[in-house]
Amino acid sequence: MPLLEISNLSAAYGTYKVLENINLSMERGEVVSLIGSSGSGKSTLLRVLMGLLKPNQGQVTIDSQAVNYGSRASLKGIRDRMAIVFQQYNLFQNMDVLRNVTIAPVEIKKRPKADVEREAKAILDRVGLSAKLKSYPDQLSGGQQQRVAIARALALKPEILLLDEVTAALDPELVNEVLDVVGQLAGEGITMLIVSHEMSFVRKVSSKVVMMDKGQVVEIGTPEQIFENPQEARTKEFVSKILRH
Ligand SMILES: Nc1ncnc2c1ncn2[C@@H]1O[C@H](COP(=O)(O)OP(=O)(O)O)[C@@H](O)[C@H]1O
Ligand SMILES: [Mg+2]
């Protein structure tokens, strides 16, 4: 039984159809990567899943429970089960690292502060930041800040972690420290839906790669199938372009 199942999902910005008939499923522990040109709808798909844009057709089920994107209670349920990290890390500049990671579980989820802090310290250790608990965002590199943002998402104990180009804003020498953390989380069995242009990373961590184009899923396969033996013309073209250098 898939943890996440997306069926015939469509969405629009006004009259502009941005996602058309998306079908995709993910098992628990899988890492699925979305690839495709800029504007193909990858971010929009993550936004729809998080309830940030209402779909106009189709269904999403988590653990066989249908999500009702029109209902506040159902949306709240979604945000208990999925967390998203964006390219821009958006940390609270006036709070130290530990507070950035603990504030949502304590203030929004009303969990006991001592428990949350203990868990947050363990998570920050996993992302290699146990020495930075008292640092403020402007005292950290971009890679460290993005790792705080990942820790903040993990502190919400999501069943599925969504990552939208989390290394795209980083200087090249900081990309690997973030990808290493994401790769480690994959190894720990965290279920992730990833958008990334780091193709060698996508190839290494993904159980499935989803090629998107013009708001549609063009092809789904293992990394080997997509990168070495793509079947669809649009996948062939995309893969040949990105692997040329
Ligand atoms: N807020 C918005 N309003 C209108 N159109 C948008 C908005 N956000 C994205 N789009 C359009 O939707 C399409 C898909 O965008 P997006 O999901 O961001 O693609 P990707 O993440 O694959 O680059 C693009 O044509 C983009 O211009
Ligand atoms: Mg995007």
Side-chain angles (χ1 to χ4, degrees):
M1 185 181 67
L3 174 58
L4 176 72
E5 185 144 41
I6 301 169
S7 317
N8 300 314
L9 191 77
S10 298
Y13 288 114
T15 56
Y16 175 64
K17 286 185 187 170
V18 64
L19 292 177
E20 280 187 81
N21 265 308
I22 304 288
N23 290 288
L24 178 64
S25 70
M26 282 178 74
E27 303 292 330
R28 205 175 284 277
E30 255 199 303
V31 175
V32 174
S33 294
L34 305 177
I35 64 169
S37 321
S38 176
S40 57
K42 306 177 299 294
S43 294
T44 303
L45 178 55
L46 301 191
R47 294 185 48 148
V48 170
L49 291 175
M50 288 301 292
L52 301 170
L53 174 68
K54 206 175 149 189
N56 52 17
Q57 182 200 295
Q59 186 164 279
V60 174
T61 61
I62 301 180
D63 253 348
S64 304
Q65 273 182 298
V67 178
N68 176 355
Y69 283 102
S71 130
R72 283 183 73 148
S74 191
L75 281 182
K76 189 176 168 299
I78 283 285
R79 287 166 196 163
D80 284 337
R81 310 189 76 168
M82 291 195 280
I84 187 163
V85 181
F86 298 101
Q87 174 176 334
Q88 300 302 342
Y89 6 95
N90 296 325
L91 301 177
F92 296 112
Q93 296 297 319
N94 60 335
M95 294 177 197
D96 67 19
V97 165
L98 186 62
R99 184 96 175 114
N100 263 284
V101 175
T102 57
I103 185 159
V106 171
E107 303 296 335
I108 298 171
K109 298 208 172 170
K110 308 290 182 201
R111 297 191 47 224
K113 191 171 174 190
D115 292 357
V116 173
E117 286 197 347
R118 187 170 20 81
E119 290 169 13
K121 286 176 184 168
I123 293 166
L124 284 161
D125 189 40
R126 274 158 74 195
V127 303
L129 289 174
S130 48
K132 300 289 182 187
L133 303 183
K134 296 283 164 216
S135 299
Y136 285 80
D138 66 2
Q139 299 171 315
L140 301 176
S141 71
Q144 290 170 330
Q145 292 189 59
Q146 189 57 289
R147 285 185 281 142
V148 175
I150 292 170
R152 180 176 58 178
L154 290 173
L156 297 166
K157 302 188 182 181
E159 286 172 74
I160 308 172
L161 184 61
L162 311 180
L163 303 177
D164 193 356
E165 297 201 36
V166 292
T167 61
L170 299 177
D171 290 335
E173 72 271 24
L174 302 177
V175 167
N176 283 336
E177 68 184 52
V178 173
L179 294 183
D180 285 347
V181 162
V182 178
Q184 178 196 320
L185 297 175
E188 291 170 12
I190 308 255
T191 309
M192 289 189 278
L193 183 55
I194 295 177
V195 176
S196 178
H197 291 296
E198 300 290 337
M199 289 303 152
S200 57
F201 173 76
V202 163
R203 197 169 174 146
K204 196 167 66 188
V205 299
S206 309
S207 44
K208 271 195 313 232
V209 177
V210 179
M211 169 68 196
M212 288 186 66
D213 188 46
K214 301 195 178 79
Q216 296 178 326
V217 170
V218 170
E219 186 168 355
I220 301 180
T222 62
E224 292 71 28
Q225 287 166 341
I226 296 293
F227 292 113
E228 277 158 36
N229 190 21
Q231 299 300 303
E232 299 294 328
R234 282 173 291 179
T235 315
K236 285 179 191 169
E237 189 195 344
F238 181 76
V239 166
S240 72
K241 269 190 198 152
I242 53 162
L243 296 181
R244 194 178 300 150
H245 295 291

